[in-house]
Structures are given as C-alpha cells and as structure tokens.
Amino acid sequence: MLSTAEPEPRRRATPQDLRALTHPLSWRILRLCLERSQTNQQLAQRLGVSPATLLRRVRALTDSGFLTVEPPRQGEHGAWERPYRATGATWRLDLGTDADQLTGQIDLAIVDAHRAELVEKGPTHSQQHTRRVLLHLDAEARAELDQRIDALLDEFENRSTPDGTPIAILWNAVEQGNTPPD
C-alpha cells in the first residue's frame, strides 16, 4: 500500500557530519550496515581494508549518529564483538548547496562508493539500468527536476519492503558550465 505520509524534513548537516562522510569507505560501511548489523572485523574483511583503518571511519560515523552500536554478541569463536547498524540518518540529511570543499568531497565519495559497488558486481550484472543525459535547463526547471526526483525517491522509499531486492540509486546532477560547440 502506498503511504501518503509527508516525508520527514531534511536536517542540515553539521561540519562533523560532513567530515564523517567525506570518504568512500563511509558510504560503503553505511550500505553494508543498513540491511544487517556488522562488526568492524566483518566490514574490514568484506571491504579489503585493515580493521584499524576501518575503525577510524566507524567511529566517525558512530559519533555523528549515522551508525549505532548494538549490544555486544559472542562471535563464532566465542569472542565478544560489537556490531554496528546504519541508522538511515543520511537519507534525510541536507548536505548543503554551498561550494564547500567538504560537500564536494562527499559528492566524490558517494560516486566512488557507487563505482566500487558496480565493480564488485562485475560487468555482466544484468539487473542494471544506467542512463546519462545532458539537459539544458533554466533555474526554475532545474529546481523542479530536483524536487520531482526527490519526491519520486521518497515515494519509492515508502514502498520499500524488507523482502524486496536492494537497489542502489545514485542521482547526481552536475552543472557542466559552458560546453564548446560541436
């Protein structure tokens, strides 16, 4: 059933939030911890980085409220481990539209994380839909496009079901400036 509830308002990102999200590993961690809790060791192994490197990112994400620590559990070898779970707080986060260096780094980190996931799936992954287009829009049409994309993603977020197939969507509209004539 389609929810008609209004989406939650977006919260403006703090400088601490922005710093936590400037690395592609942050976005990969959040993606992996969204569906089920993961320990630092599990994440490090899955992402092919050292646990110490990963722990720095995990701590930044936890301090900003993007990850939450679940109760400790016993691992398969009897040792106690601390699992982390993504809170989904980035979904309603306003990163800002300033020409801020951190915001630009976040844009690149998101693209890099998305690219890493594509590479991980391999070039023959058949359930992809990729499209790239260059539009020429005035400010009013650009604002309408952004609003409609946000509304469409909000609508489908409300239709998301736990047993559905996870789908990663990247929407990034970049002003190209003046392009040379053909």
Side-chain angles (χ1 to χ4, degrees):
M1 173 172 234
L2 180 63
S3 170
T4 58
E6 285 292 315
E8 296 175 33
R10 295 188 184 281
R11 177 180 69 81
R12 180 73 173 192
T14 66
Q16 179 183 358
D17 294 337
L18 295 173
R19 283 189 298 277
L21 298 172
T22 58
H23 197 281
L25 272 178
S26 295
W27 293 97
R28 305 271 331 263
I29 292 165
L30 291 172
R31 166 73 178 84
L32 291 171
C33 291
L34 188 59
E35 295 178 11
R36 67 183 181 96
S37 59
Q38 304 270 328
T39 66
N40 188 65
Q41 186 67 35
Q42 289 170 321
L43 290 165
Q45 185 175 10
R46 173 75 196 294
L47 296 171
V49 297
S50 75
T53 298
L54 196 81
L55 187 56
R56 180 174 177 216
R57 305 294 343 147
V58 166
R59 284 185 178 153
L61 292 168
T62 303
D63 291 346
S64 294
F66 301 127
L67 283 180
T68 187
V69 182
E70 292 189 339
R73 64 184 184 204
Q74 264 188 307
E76 60 184 65
H77 299 293
W80 287 95
E81 51 189 29
R82 176 176 285 156
Y84 299 91
R85 183 78 180 219
T87 62
T90 58
W91 185 256
R92 294 273 166 237
L93 190 65
D94 177 2
L95 298 177
T97 56
D98 309 342
D100 181 80
Q101 181 180 1
L102 290 177
T103 302
Q105 288 176 359
I106 291 170
D107 286 345
L108 292 175
I110 292 169
V111 170
D112 288 347
H114 195 79
R115 183 185 186 283
E117 290 175 357
L118 286 172
V119 168
E120 192 174 271
K121 288 287 183 188
T124 60
H125 186 65
S126 64
Q127 295 300 313
Q128 295 182 135
H129 176 90
T130 302
R131 181 168 177 208
R132 182 177 159 107
V133 64
L134 179 63
L135 304 172
H136 295 267
L137 304 174
D138 61 24
E140 184 179 330
R142 167 64 191 270
E144 179 186 350
L145 176 64
D146 288 343
Q147 182 274 325
R148 288 175 65 183
I149 293 291
D150 285 345
L152 183 65
L153 293 175
D154 288 342
E155 175 189 336
F156 277 87
E157 178 192 19
N158 289 333
R159 292 168 59 176
S160 185
T161 59
D163 59 339
T165 302
I167 298 171
I169 296 175
L170 173 64
W171 166 253
N172 184 279
V174 178
E175 288 186 22
Q176 297 292 304
N178 293 332
T179 56
D182 290 330

